[in-house]
Amino acid sequence: MKVIVFGLGNFGMSLSLSLTETGNEVIGIDKQMDKINLVKDKISHAICMDSTNELAYDAVPLKDADKVVVAIGENEGAAIITTAIIKKLSDVKIISRALSPIHDTVLEAMGIHSIIHPEQDSADRLTKQINFKSTLENYQLDNNYTISEVKAKKEFFGKTLEELDSIDKYSLTLITIIRKKEKRNLIGKKTIIRETIGRTTPETIVQEDDILVVYGNNKDIEMYCMGQEEYDLRNKNI
């Protein structure tokens, strides 16, 4: 997976190294050359640039990235501007660091739902979250087990849970299913909301765009998301 990390302070650098050690291609970006020199030989690429300058992004492969982490911790304004520029230039999934409650509010208003607080979230924990390539949200119970939202596989569509043995194959427990639903407000404007269907039954039919909420071992969730071949290849290279 290709991950771009903006901000190579203590947290950003630890995250970049941890992601590299687990087999990812990491591009680290910071405006201070001394930080670039510290990490340039330890990750895939390191770029010295001012991330608040939109013109500088010609050198950044945003469209090829799987995820972007805005880990800037010294300057709240720079972190917000960087996030806004990335959101403007690409559709890549953004994980952004928040430095204050107001920063949280601004990020949420921008549509950023993956918000991290390094004081609470260690780089190792975030690495595990990022490595679940196709998961949407995660709640890590301990170092080995996680509750995750994952996209239903195409081969599941139109089949009942009774017909499927694929979920069991990955040793995952299905908790519920989340579906998108169209809703209109008082003035008739349409919005899309997410609703769980509650408790599933053997007769529950998996639909296109369903999100499965599953519980299981981190390795089993990774295998489901990546596929057996990609999972084996990645772990062979670690």
Side-chain angles (χ1 to χ4, degrees):
M1 191 180 343
K2 181 178 287 186
V3 182
I4 303 176
V5 179
F6 287 84
L8 297 174
N10 291 334
F11 180 74
M13 189 171 295
S14 295
L15 178 63
S16 298
L17 295 174
S18 182
L19 285 168
T20 299
E21 289 170 359
T22 53
N24 298 284
E25 179 184 350
V26 178
I27 300 173
I29 296 176
D30 200 283
K31 67 177 181 179
Q32 296 183 29
M33 196 64 205
D34 58 331
K35 293 181 179 178
I36 296 299
N37 288 333
L38 282 173
V39 79
K40 66 180 182 181
D41 296 325
K42 300 175 182 178
I43 63 176
S44 302
H45 305 284
I47 301 173
C48 185
M49 63 170 266
D50 179 359
S51 62
T52 65
N53 179 5
E54 186 175 337
L55 297 177
Y57 281 76
D58 288 342
V60 182
L62 286 177
K63 294 182 179 179
D64 296 329
D66 294 295
K67 293 182 182 178
V68 168
V69 180
V70 180
I72 298 170
E74 299 81 11
N75 187 321
E76 188 170 296
I80 291 171
I81 292 171
T82 298
T83 303
I85 292 174
I86 296 167
K87 190 167 179 63
K88 175 184 176 182
L89 297 179
S90 75
D91 295 323
V92 67
K93 180 172 181 180
I94 303 171
I95 301 170
S96 191
R97 177 181 186 175
L99 305 176
S100 69
I102 292 177
H103 194 171
D104 269 315
T105 302
V106 172
L107 291 173
E108 289 170 0
M110 293 168 61
I112 307 299
H113 301 295
S114 294
I115 301 173
I116 55 173
H117 306 87
E119 299 78 11
Q120 304 166 17
D121 301 304
S122 69
D124 180 62
R125 180 174 177 178
L126 183 56
T127 295
K128 291 175 181 176
Q129 178 181 332
I130 290 174
N131 280 335
F132 292 155
K133 186 174 180 180
S134 297
T135 62
L136 305 173
E137 297 292 342
N138 298 289
Y139 179 75
Q140 190 168 342
L141 301 174
D142 57 27
N143 289 332
N144 297 309
Y145 288 90
T146 300
I147 295 173
S148 289
E149 296 178 9
V150 299
K151 296 177 181 178
K153 292 182 178 293
K154 189 175 181 179
E155 58 264 32
F156 294 179
F157 300 167
K159 294 182 180 178
T160 65
L161 295 179
E162 189 174 29
E163 292 177 296
L164 294 173
D165 60 1
S166 298
I167 296 176
D168 293 335
K169 180 178 70 175
Y170 291 102
S171 302
L172 300 178
T173 300
L174 179 65
I175 299 173
T176 189
I177 295 175
I178 298 173
R179 287 188 177 142
K180 293 179 182 179
K181 182 179 179 182
E182 189 178 283
K183 188 176 182 181
R184 292 181 182 271
N185 60 19
L186 293 176
I187 61 174
K189 184 178 179 181
K190 290 190 296 185
T191 57
I192 303 297
I193 62 172
R194 297 184 353 148
E195 287 188 345
T196 64
I197 67 169
R199 186 177 180 180
T200 61
T201 69
E203 292 75 35
T204 299
I205 298 174
V206 180
Q207 300 178 8
E208 188 174 353
D209 296 327
D210 271 356
I211 297 168
L212 311 181
V213 182
V214 299
Y215 161 80
N217 187 283
N218 294 340
K219 291 182 180 179
D220 293 327
I221 295 173
E222 284 186 75
M223 194 179 299
Y224 173 90
C225 294
M226 302 176 70
Q228 182 74 54
E229 185 175 342
E230 184 180 353
Y231 177 85
D232 291 341
L233 180 62
R234 198 194 77 176
N235 284 279
K236 181 180 179 181
N237 292 331
I238 293 177

